[in-house]
Amino acid sequence: MKPFTHHTAPTQYVEANGIRFAYRRFGKAGGVPIVFNQHYTGTMDYWDPAVTDGLAQTREVILFNNAGVSSSSGETPASFPEMGANAIAFIRTLGLHQVDVLGISIGGFVAQEIALQGADLVRRLILVGTGHRGNDMTASRSAEIFGASYEPPEHLWLAVHFAPSESSRKAGLAFLERKWRRKDRDPEVSTQTIAAQGAAIANWITPGENALAYLKSIGQPTLIVQGSNDVIIPTAHSVTLQQHLPNAELVIYPDSNHGSIYQYPERFVAHAERFLSDGQADKASA
């Protein structure tokens, strides 16, 4: 029997905190799994198979829809701490005692909350195209981009994730083609989820005194990955993350935007695999 891939892994369900979480699990079992946290309005089908299948060559990949998102039951909460708590409940219900966590965009906000609330659970952290509490979003073009019309509608994600250069746009069209190969796709998110995620973002970016202090409590080794010109969550916020997290490194890919890992999937998989494997080597020598 062939091993499952991004396109063939069945959707499974598990209940925790009164929520029926939808998830897919595939890849090389036996090590520390990596749990993926999705961006604004995204579902399990919004990940790039080149990334998920690439990482699945050497470790187990777990994709899931958080509470209220798409095929998961319940309502989406309007705060990232609550989303993080739900994610931890999901992970623990799978019987996992240690995981690596990846988050992109607002999934990066959730990933930080998972690391804070589940410090004993999270071994290593990968944050992609994301930022910190109290982000100054005045330079973001998010409202403009999400408020525009696109034909076809899926080309919204070219504007969100890719730079306007010919090479970046070409990579974006290839990403969209990979993304749409799966036939039994998740339903799109509800208006309730969209509103709740929007409210959570508004709360997260509200300026506050000592807004960055919480980062000192995230002690896990962290890989931060960003595009050279992220127009959704400005690239400068990833620099700030690296400077304030106790144990973080930053990779910035050239001529790229919010979805840099989708423009350079092979390069990202190599960076991520090296980073995650360093953690296994550290554990083996301890």
Side-chain angles (χ1 to χ4, degrees):
M1 182 177 177
K2 288 185 177 181
F4 290 127
T5 67
H6 180 99
H7 295 300
T8 63
T11 300
Q12 304 180 69
Y13 298 90
V14 66
E15 187 161 326
N17 282 359
I19 300 156
R20 188 169 181 253
F21 290 94
Y23 71 100
R24 297 174 189 154
R25 193 170 180 174
F26 57 98
K28 185 178 179 181
V32 178
I34 181 165
V35 179
F36 283 60
N37 293 266
Q38 188 56 281
H39 60 66
Y40 175 67
T41 74
T43 72
M44 290 187 285
D45 290 313
Y46 278 57
W47 293 107
D48 186 348
V51 169
T52 57
D53 284 337
L55 287 171
Q57 295 298 310
T58 56
R59 63 195 61 252
E60 191 171 25
V61 166
I62 299 175
L63 313 180
F64 81 111
N65 292 324
N66 213 328
V69 174
S70 185
S71 49
S72 288
S73 73
E75 288 199 345
T76 301
S79 80
F80 293 116
E82 290 175 272
M83 294 181 200
N86 284 332
I88 290 170
F90 161 72
I91 293 166
R92 293 197 188 280
T93 299
L94 291 180
L96 299 172
H97 303 291
Q98 188 173 61
V99 295
D100 295 322
V101 174
L102 181 150
I104 184 170
S105 192
I106 69 167
F109 305 162
V110 178
Q112 291 172 55
E113 291 294 340
I114 298 171
L116 282 168
Q117 299 176 39
D120 61 321
L121 183 64
V122 179
R123 186 187 69 122
R124 290 197 160 212
L125 193 60
I126 300 178
L127 302 176
V128 181
T130 195
H132 49 80
R133 293 178 189 168
N135 287 335
D136 177 0
M137 295 291 282
T138 54
S140 172
R141 293 178 54 210
S142 181
E144 168 199 340
I145 288 171
F146 279 97
S149 297
Y150 301 88
E151 187 55 47
E154 184 68 6
H155 281 197
L156 160 67
W157 300 106
L158 290 181
V160 169
H161 287 316
F162 296 88
S165 69
E166 182 179 352
S167 60
S168 185
R169 185 175 173 83
K170 181 179 179 182
L173 291 170
F175 158 68
L176 293 183
E177 191 278 327
R178 293 192 298 269
K179 174 181 165 184
W180 277 94
R181 287 177 193 166
R182 183 168 179 128
K183 303 305 179 185
D184 58 331
R185 297 176 62 81
D186 263 345
E188 296 299 322
V189 299
S190 67
T191 55
Q192 189 277 323
T193 290
I194 294 171
Q197 289 181 345
I201 292 168
N203 183 59
W204 178 271
I205 67 175
T206 300
E209 189 175 354
N210 298 320
L212 299 176
Y214 79 99
L215 292 171
K216 297 300 182 186
S217 299
I218 300 178
Q220 294 93 337
T222 302
L223 174 64
I224 303 165
V225 182
Q226 184 55 289
S228 56
N229 183 27
D230 188 334
V231 300
I232 304 297
I233 299 179
T235 301
H237 295 314
S238 286
V239 177
T240 302
L241 275 176
Q242 191 279 326
Q243 291 173 336
H244 287 82
L245 285 166
N247 190 6
E249 57 186 282
L250 171 62
V251 175
I252 297 178
Y253 294 139
D255 183 34
S256 54
N257 183 14
H258 195 52
S260 60
I261 66 172
Y262 303 151
Q263 183 167 340
Y264 299 100
E266 294 84 4
R267 190 182 302 190
F268 168 70
V269 167
H271 277 138
E273 179 53 40
R274 184 165 60 247
F275 169 73
L276 296 172
S277 295
D278 284 347
Q280 292 174 333
D282 292 346
K283 184 176 179 180
S285 62

